[in-house]
Amino acid sequence: MYFKLMNGRETYLEGMRELLEERHHQVISVDAGDRVDPVLNGGLETPVEVWMELIPEEESGPENHVVLTDYGCEMAGGLKRGKAVLRACGKTFLFRALMTLVRELEKRVTMHAGASMESYSHRENVYLDKNGIMLDCSRNSVLNVETIKKYIRLQASLGMNTMMLYTEDTYEVPEYPYFGAFRGRYTREELKECDDYADLFGIEMVPCIQALAHLKTALRWDVMQGTRDTEDILMVGEEKVYDFVKACIRSVSETFRSRRVHLGMDEAWSLGLGNYLLKNGYHTKAEIMTEHLERVTDICRELGLEPMIWSDMYLRMNSPASEYYDVPLDTDLSGAVKPPKEIGLVYWDYYHADEEFYKAYLHMHRQLSDKVVFAGGGWVWNGLAPNFRVAFSTTEAAMRACKAEGVREAVCTMWQDDGAETPMAAGLPSIVLFAEHGFSEQPDREQLKEQFEFLTGSSYDAYLALGEFDAVPGSREYDNPSKYLFYQDILLGLFDGQAAVAEKAMEGSAAKDGNGASRGNNLDTYYDLLREKLQDLAGSEAAVEDEILELYIHLADVLSVKAGIGNRLCAAYKAKDMAGLKKIANEEIPSCMEKVREYKRCREAVWDKESKIYGFEVLDIRIGGLLARMETAQRRLLAYAGGRIDSLPELEEERLPYRPVKDGEERTLCSCNTWRMIVSASPV
């Protein structure tokens, strides 16, 4: 289709062009002689004329926190002309209105010719004045500039007007050349390019750094001597530390338009218990945090910045066990230790499905600060696959609580724990859900499905099925069997005992294929059926059109062989079934290795498209190590079956469950999201 912006050319035209041309529509100027093909324009002889208007500040009361779309078609001079008026209380919200209009027009044109002539009107309330995502660019995957721009366009289409880039040491600090070295850190020019691009759509890019803890990769270098309390926490009180912190804050303040900055300061578990303790003696965390925040706040005042930090350290001060979520829900924190008044608190919580819990914690936060931001979770950090059952249950409860409590700013965090094994794009359903909660009291599945498929061109149901990799019968909440069954050693099998318990519990019910035929019930079968399901949902062109779905089809293919191979080996070895061992060595292991190579090929392709190359070496080493150990297993099995060695001690070791299961317990699986804990019981 063809669109013509009738007002605000300088303000809206370039962003409009970026969004519409990505969908193969054209923004034209008839006055400049551009010609319109009425067939391509949905039966209209002129472009759709679009007025984009901000609701004036004097009309900015609660009743005007809205996004309005009005479209009609008229005859003028013998020509059919479509006209749309888009009004909203924020620039980014106008782009949401634009894409809502485009979605409706595309749908009508697709249904039947001339349908685009029908009038259309749509109204949405704005529940979050600031609504966005936080992209983790510190756990090895440093998203490249083009990927960040893609997420900026996605956010604009969804009406999400805040983007936080979480960068522990992956941004440039000129005074510290080792900071982010070999990590794919962003240059200042790259970040300015992203910030400029976000500004086209009215999106505020907020730098999210660390000014206390989570600095292990930065503090590893010898040049940081004298700045360490522990291996990942800065030494509070040292002047070298404040020179460093000021350089970090100044670097991002000079790069981003926003005057807001997120300083992190979360999970400083051992604050004051390392070199600080040796030098200064024991001081409470409250004393140390207060001292440090005063110094850092002074730096922000000097630079004209509005700082915020994660809230957990302040809640821990009021916890009986120094935990975050065990503070009694009726606790009065009005007299508790508070951060400086300039400091906003970001309440992060990705774990509760109880709306009342969130309400109580939001109330406690407001007793500590009048600047409270909520951070929920997209759950792309569970292992190899997203965990949508937790992402959806926690987001639903949290967003209801935010609306009930009048919280007007929230972000969806997309962490990449333990090496970014799940591609960021696999979590797109979580982002769409979070966004729709900003404009709906309660978005329904059809609403989410339509929005997702319009914006991505992929199957919503197929993406939701990615959440089934860790939803194996016997799993609960944060369990991630797909990761440990993928990585665990074939001969050592640290999780074979757990898998055996789970499969025993699965024996009572037979899994069925798409035609209702019984397929037995074990882990191999579960993943083979999941592979078939993904292929069916994705469609025959999945391998060409959607790299994410192709990747997970291959992961299911790997697990359809590897999930149970360790226990089959143990059974054959115990029975002295030499023919069975040879079959596994000569047929199953080579087949599994080929499937792993295909998965690795796809994962590298997705990484190359999504991120800078730095950090992929870790996945290369992990998957390469898996293949090397499979070669070793094959060699040792054949040596034993051929009589060249007398025994395989690895297969004689009792297969203990990683997490012991009590009699009658329905949960038979477990969680382990640390690669080094999966591949060996020895230090790695």
Side-chain angles (χ1 to χ4, degrees):
M1 287 184 282
Y2 296 81
F3 296 82
K4 183 180 180 183
L5 181 64
M6 304 303 293
N7 63 339
R9 292 182 63 84
E10 295 298 323
T11 307
Y12 307 123
L13 183 60
E14 193 169 351
M16 181 180 181
R17 193 185 305 279
E18 288 285 308
L19 294 180
L20 294 179
E21 289 185 356
E22 185 176 35
R23 296 196 65 81
H24 309 294
H25 300 310
Q26 188 176 356
V27 179
I28 69 169
S29 171
V30 175
D31 298 335
D34 294 336
R35 299 186 63 184
V36 175
D37 183 336
V39 175
L40 295 177
N41 199 29
L44 303 175
E45 282 84 17
T46 66
V48 178
E49 296 179 352
V50 179
W51 280 259
M52 297 175 73
E53 302 172 356
L54 280 176
I55 295 174
E57 288 187 14
E58 58 268 23
E59 300 179 25
S60 60
E63 70 280 3
N64 288 310
H65 282 246
V66 292
V67 179
L68 304 172
T69 306
D70 286 294
Y71 170 80
C73 188
E74 62 182 25
M75 296 295 294
L79 299 177
K80 299 173 196 169
R81 176 177 299 167
K83 289 188 175 184
V85 177
L86 315 178
R87 301 186 79 233
C89 56
K91 182 177 178 179
T92 312
F93 303 152
L94 283 174
F95 286 108
R96 176 182 172 89
L98 172 67
M99 297 309 285
T100 301
L101 169 68
V102 172
R103 185 183 71 205
E104 188 65 25
L105 294 181
E106 285 185 2
K107 184 166 57 176
R108 294 176 180 203
V109 170
T110 301
M111 289 172 62
H112 49 86
S116 58
M117 295 171 58
E118 298 175 6
S119 297
Y120 167 69
S121 183
H122 187 66
R123 175 192 174 101
E124 294 179 310
N125 293 322
V126 175
Y127 292 94
L128 295 170
D129 300 321
K130 292 183 181 293
N131 179 9
I133 56 177
M134 177 183 287
L135 300 174
D136 183 359
C137 298
S138 293
R139 292 340 195 283
N140 295 355
S141 171
V142 179
L143 300 177
N144 60 44
V145 170
E146 287 308 309
T147 297
I148 292 173
K149 288 183 177 181
K150 180 187 77 173
Y151 280 103
I152 288 170
R153 292 192 297 273
L154 176 69
Q155 284 199 216
S157 300
L158 288 166
M160 302 178 89
N161 57 7
T162 305
M163 174 181 280
M164 294 186 182
L165 290 187
Y166 180 74
T167 50
E168 292 174 355
D169 66 330
T170 51
Y171 60 98
E172 184 180 24
V173 181
E175 300 93 327
Y176 294 84
Y178 282 84
F179 187 76
F182 307 102
R183 293 263 288 140
R185 63 189 170 201
Y186 294 110
T187 66
R188 289 153 70 95
E189 290 71 26
E190 286 176 321
L191 291 176
K192 286 179 179 177
E193 182 180 349
C194 293
D195 190 57
D196 288 343
Y197 193 73
D199 188 60
L200 294 178
F201 307 97
I203 294 172
E204 178 191 17
M205 286 196 74
V206 179
C208 185
I209 65 175
Q210 284 289 356
L212 179 60
H214 281 292
L215 287 168
K216 185 175 181 179
T217 52
L219 297 180
R220 63 175 288 176
W221 303 102
D222 285 346
V223 295
M224 298 303 289
Q225 289 284 354
T227 64
R228 304 185 192 103
D229 178 3
T230 65
E231 67 174 359
D232 71 336
I233 299 175
L234 292 170
M235 179 80 159
V236 172
E238 292 295 314
E239 289 307 311
K240 288 178 66 174
V241 165
Y242 297 101
D243 291 341
F244 167 67
V245 170
K246 185 173 183 178
C248 291
I249 297 174
R250 184 173 57 237
S251 180
V252 294
S253 73
E254 293 172 353
T255 304
F256 294 86
R257 286 175 172 78
S258 177
R259 292 297 83 199
R260 297 201 295 166
V261 60
H262 194 322
L263 300 173
M265 300 198 189
D266 59 311
E267 298 182 327
W269 317 116
S270 53
L271 177 65
L273 300 180
N275 292 322
Y276 183 94
L277 179 65
L278 297 175
K279 181 176 180 178
N280 302 295
Y282 178 75
H283 292 263
T284 66
K285 288 182 175 64
E287 292 176 284
I288 301 171
M289 280 290 293
T290 299
E291 175 189 352
H292 186 61
L293 259 182
E294 286 175 353
R295 291 292 303 270
V296 176
T297 302
D298 285 342
I299 292 170
C300 290
R301 287 194 196 103
E302 180 184 336
L303 296 172
L305 299 174
E306 302 172 29
M308 66 183 88
I309 63 171
W310 301 111
S311 68
D312 58 300
M313 293 303 290
Y314 279 89
L315 271 292
R316 292 177 201 279
M317 294 176 194
N318 298 278
S319 160
S322 294
E323 296 291 339
Y324 191 15
Y325 301 118
D326 69 342
V327 180
L329 300 185
D330 59 353
T331 301
D332 181 0
L333 296 183
S334 58
V337 176
K338 297 180 176 64
K341 66 181 187 311
E342 297 96 331
I343 299 286
L345 290 182
V346 184
Y347 162 37
W348 55 275
D349 193 339
Y350 336 120
Y351 302 106
H352 296 94
D354 179 5
E355 181 180 339
E356 296 306 314
F357 184 97
Y358 290 106
K359 287 180 180 178
Y361 257 62
L362 287 168
H363 177 70
M364 284 191 278
H365 277 76
R366 283 175 158 167
Q367 293 179 319
L368 297 174
S369 172
D370 58 4
K371 302 176 181 178
V372 176
V373 177
F374 177 75
W379 277 91
V380 287
W381 60 82
N382 206 53
L384 299 181
N387 187 335
F388 291 131
R389 59 180 171 178
V390 177
F392 275 49
S393 64
T394 57
T395 296
E396 294 284 9
M399 290 296 96
R400 289 195 301 268
C402 285
K403 292 168 191 174
E405 293 297 310
V407 173
R408 303 295 295 185
E409 179 169 8
V411 293
C412 179
T413 61
M414 303 292 282
W415 299 115
Q416 297 266 259
D417 295 9
D418 200 42
E421 290 170 326
T422 299
M424 193 77 77
L428 287 174
S430 295
I431 294 175
V432 172
L433 172 66
F434 208 90
E436 293 307 297
H437 263 289
F439 302 93
S440 174
E441 187 68 35
Q442 180 59 56
D444 60 34
R445 182 184 173 91
E446 287 308 308
Q447 178 181 346
L448 297 173
K449 179 182 175 74
E450 182 179 22
Q451 183 74 291
F452 180 90
E453 295 187 347
F454 166 69
L455 293 174
T456 68
S458 294
S459 164
Y460 181 68
D461 293 332
Y463 267 72
L464 284 189
L466 304 185
E468 296 179 24
F469 276 88
D470 293 324
V472 178
S475 66
R476 292 292 182 272
E477 295 179 324
Y478 320 125
D479 292 346
N480 57 344
S482 65
K483 178 165 179 172
Y484 51 76
L485 293 173
F486 178 83
Y487 277 126
Q488 75 163 342
D489 190 88
I490 284 182
L491 291 176
L492 295 173
L494 269 59
F495 292 83
D496 281 343
Q498 200 78 54
V501 174
E503 289 193 329
K504 183 174 179 57
M506 294 166 68
E507 287 176 356
S509 59
K512 299 182 185 301
D513 62 20
N515 298 316
S518 176
R519 293 275 290 272
N521 208 347
N522 55 43
L523 291 168
D524 289 344
T525 301
Y526 178 87
Y527 286 111
D528 196 37
L529 289 171
L530 180 55
R531 174 188 58 78
E532 292 178 0
K533 179 177 182 177
L534 284 171
Q535 287 175 323
D536 290 343
L537 289 171
S540 60
E541 300 299 321
V544 176
E545 296 183 1
D546 194 313
E547 300 93 336
I548 297 296
L549 295 180
E550 181 191 12
L551 172 72
Y552 282 99
I553 288 168
H554 283 297
L555 176 59
D557 200 28
V558 172
L559 293 171
S560 71
V561 176
K562 190 173 184 299
I565 197 170
N567 282 322
R568 289 197 298 278
L569 272 176
C570 287
Y573 181 77
K574 185 177 181 179
K576 299 189 184 302
D577 178 3
M578 299 304 177
L581 290 175
K582 288 180 180 179
K583 183 176 186 297
I584 292 173
N586 289 323
E587 297 179 21
E588 289 193 39
I589 291 179
S591 172
C592 190
M593 290 177 69
E594 185 55 35
K595 294 175 189 295
V596 170
R597 290 189 187 99
E598 281 298 296
Y599 170 80
K600 180 178 179 295
R601 175 188 63 78
C602 292
R603 186 65 186 95
E604 186 169 4
V606 171
W607 188 290
D608 285 346
K609 185 174 182 179
E610 191 171 79
S611 307
K612 297 186 179 187
I613 192 58
Y614 299 92
F616 182 75
E617 71 276 8
V618 173
L619 294 191
D620 220 359
I621 290 166
R622 291 180 182 182
I623 301 174
L626 171 61
L627 289 167
R629 284 296 297 165
M630 292 172 82
E631 289 178 356
T632 298
Q634 182 185 44
R635 185 174 64 252
R636 287 181 57 73
L637 285 170
L638 291 175
Y640 172 73
R644 295 189 297 279
I645 56 177
D646 295 332
S647 65
L648 295 171
E650 309 99 308
L651 298 182
E652 294 176 1
E653 189 90 16
E654 182 184 357
R655 264 33 185 180
L656 299 170
Y658 191 85
R659 181 192 69 84
V661 178
K662 298 176 184 177
D663 289 343
E665 187 179 1
E666 292 184 1
R667 182 191 177 200
T668 55
L669 288 162
C670 64
S671 172
C672 183
N673 193 23
T674 306
W675 171 80
R676 61 181 177 81
M677 300 284 286
I678 294 170
V679 295
S680 177
S682 299
V684 176

